[in-house]
Amino acid sequence: MSPAGEIGRRLTEVRRRLAAAADRAGRRPDDIRLIAVSKTFGLDSIRAAVDAGQVDFGENRVQEALQKMWGSSDLQIRWHLVGHLQTNKAKKATGFAWIHSVDSLKLLEGLDRAALDAEGHPDILVQVDLAGEATKFGAPPQHAVDLVHAAARCRGVRLAGLMILPPFADNPEDARPYFRRLRELRDDLVARGLDRSFLKELSMGMSHDFEVAIQEGATMVRVGTAIFGERPTR
Ligand SMILES: *Cc1c(COP(=O)(O)O)cnc(C)c1O
């Protein structure tokens, strides 16, 4: 099969798995957005996925993403930044429709200021670190709560939910407690009075564990390898 045909075939398979997982959880597949994480892959791969009906794409590096945005401006794509963002690059990130990785007040303020000056008004998610790993990005829970309240007051960017990237584990079940706790954190914030419209989205689940994430309430799953194949090591 051609590389493009292979990507189309894998996408169909991921959509089938997504729909089956939604079904098992008593949820509607349409309520779960599939984000094709295209980092390290080129425009050919992205075009093949677009041809197969894919609209949402995720990247984890701003510069790499901007190049792909410029090279695909003829296509209807919604771009998501799923990787860490440095505050000094906030200005460059306003072209994303979604930013999943807001994890500090400084970054939030930088993004909000940049978005007020720009045409783009990204929807943002607060990335939560529930594992307490010093090496990982994301705001620890108490800090995340403060960040959520600050983000809800922003006018340039719009708060839309929470994101998590649990520590990698071979067994997808090991990620379940993290997905569950992210959902509980959301429910808790809503129970304490935060408008639910700010926390509609839960971005959680990747190639090997998105079915578990869907069971736990994911509304966005970020899938790379299962669509595009193994990434070349950088
Ligand atoms: C790369 C990446 C993904 C996709 O990972 P796969 O295992 O290839 O599906 C999802 N989320 C983030 C934040 C990533 O960096």
Side-chain angles (χ1 to χ4, degrees), residues 37 39 60 82-83 163 165 206-207 222-226 231:
V37 179
K39 65 189 184 198
N60 71 338
V82 300
M163 181 271 220
L165 181 61
M206 306 173 25
S207 288
R222 312 178 306 265
V223 178
T225 315
R231 281 183 288 278

Side-chain angles (χ1 to χ4, degrees), residues 3-234:
E6 185 64 25
I7 287 171
R9 188 192 62 74
R10 289 211 197 94
L11 249 177
T12 304
E13 173 62 11
V14 167
R15 289 199 190 108
R16 189 196 59 72
R17 284 171 55 191
L18 185 154
D23 213 43
R24 284 195 301 275
R27 304 182 54 203
R28 296 181 356 171
D30 285 355
D31 292 341
I32 300 147
R33 191 191 303 232
L34 173 63
I35 300 168
V37 179
S38 49
K39 65 189 184 198
T40 76
F41 289 96
L43 285 171
D44 287 354
S45 299
I46 290 170
R47 279 177 193 279
V50 169
D51 286 345
Q54 183 62 28
V55 175
D56 290 278
F57 287 80
E59 289 283 334
N60 71 338
R61 295 185 181 192
V62 175
Q63 203 55 42
E64 180 182 340
L66 290 178
Q67 271 164 12
K68 292 179 192 177
M69 284 181 199
W70 293 325
S72 64
S73 51
D74 58 315
L75 303 176
Q76 293 291 322
I77 291 180
R78 243 182 336 254
W79 290 100
H80 298 246
L81 182 64
V82 300
H84 180 67
L85 177 60
Q86 287 170 301
T87 303
N88 62 12
K89 292 202 179 130
K91 263 202 181 111
K92 292 188 169 170
T94 56
F96 288 92
W98 289 82
I99 297 171
H100 293 230
S101 47
V102 177
D103 63 356
S104 76
L105 200 55
K106 234 173 81 195
L107 173 59
L108 175 70
E109 288 167 354
L111 269 176
D112 196 43
R113 223 174 301 122
L116 283 170
D117 290 341
E119 281 172 31
H121 297 279
D123 285 304
I124 61 162
L125 307 176
V126 167
Q127 181 175 353
V128 185
D129 175 12
L130 293 170
E133 291 169 302
T135 52
K136 273 265 171 69
F137 297 112
Q142 186 44 52
H143 183 183
V145 168
D146 295 341
L147 204 48
V148 160
H149 285 107
R153 290 191 295 270
C154 286
R155 291 289 164 266
V157 292
R158 287 182 301 236
L159 177 64
L162 305 175
M163 181 271 220
I164 192 164
L165 181 61
F168 182 83
D170 285 328
N171 183 354
E173 283 300 325
D174 291 350
R176 186 185 296 277
Y178 294 98
F179 297 152
R180 184 169 295 167
R181 280 166 61 200
L182 193 70
R183 186 190 68 217
E184 288 169 352
L185 178 63
R186 191 269 313 273
D187 293 345
D188 212 46
L189 282 158
V190 172
R192 287 162 189 264
L194 194 76
D195 194 307
R196 201 182 167 82
S197 67
F198 289 122
L199 295 176
K200 282 195 300 237
E201 308 290 342
L202 292 178
S203 168
M204 53 192 202
M206 306 173 25
S207 288
H208 75 299
D209 58 15
F210 73 82
E211 283 130 322
V212 173
I214 287 171
Q215 268 186 331
E216 296 298 335
T219 62
M220 297 177 143
V221 293
R222 312 178 306 265
V223 178
T225 315
I227 296 171
F228 296 108
E230 291 295 328
R231 281 183 288 278
T233 43
R234 305 210 204 228

